[in-house]
Amino acid sequence: MPYQFPIARKLLGFAGRARRNWLDRHQTPANFWIHMLGIPLAFAGIPLLFLAEWYWGVGAIVAGYFLQWVGHRIEGNDVGEFIPVKRLLGLPVVAIA
């Protein structure tokens, strides 16, 4: 029985670990709620690039990422997308404050 859906179990395990990691990196309520605004705004910018004037899409993506950056400044840790780049360059990383 436990081996009926091995790929699904691995995906669920990965999703659970990713969620726990995300929650560890967004512990302050301000950072969490700023991300609840910034993430959908950044994602909404992708279809806006094709459905509206290009600057609306670019503006939404930039504003969404800016909000997330502000949240990480409040939290005191690095933005997740920059961590691999900083590690590659040998710079110090603050993953969880």
Side-chain angles (χ1 to χ4, degrees), residues 20-35:
R20 284 189 298 276
N21 179 36
W22 193 87
L23 289 173
D24 284 344
R25 294 181 29 73
H26 305 86
Q27 293 180 16
T28 62
N31 186 19
F32 180 85
W33 288 108
I34 288 173
H35 272 70

Side-chain angles (χ1 to χ4, degrees), residues 7-25:
I7 294 173
R9 290 189 188 283
K10 287 185 186 281
L11 286 173
L12 284 174
F14 172 77
R17 287 188 305 275
R19 180 180 176 274
R20 284 189 298 276
N21 179 36
W22 193 87
L23 289 173
D24 284 344
R25 294 181 29 73

Side-chain angles (χ1 to χ4, degrees), residues 17-96:
R17 287 188 305 275
R19 180 180 176 274
R20 284 189 298 276
N21 179 36
W22 193 87
L23 289 173
D24 284 344
R25 294 181 29 73
H26 305 86
Q27 293 180 16
T28 62
N31 186 19
F32 180 85
W33 288 108
I34 288 173
H35 272 70
M36 291 297 106
L37 294 172
I39 292 171
L41 183 58
F43 273 106
I46 296 168
L48 283 176
L49 288 171
F50 304 102
L51 300 175
E53 296 291 332
W54 65 270
Y55 50 83
W56 288 107
V58 170
I61 293 169
V62 169
Y65 266 94
F66 177 74
L67 285 172
Q68 294 175 64
W69 179 79
V70 168
H72 281 285
R73 293 299 102 212
I74 292 169
E75 183 88 26
N77 56 14
D78 292 327
V79 178
E81 290 81 5
F82 297 153
I83 289 175
V85 175
K86 289 179 81 173
R87 285 188 176 149
L88 183 67
L89 297 173
L91 299 172
V93 173
V94 181
I96 298 174

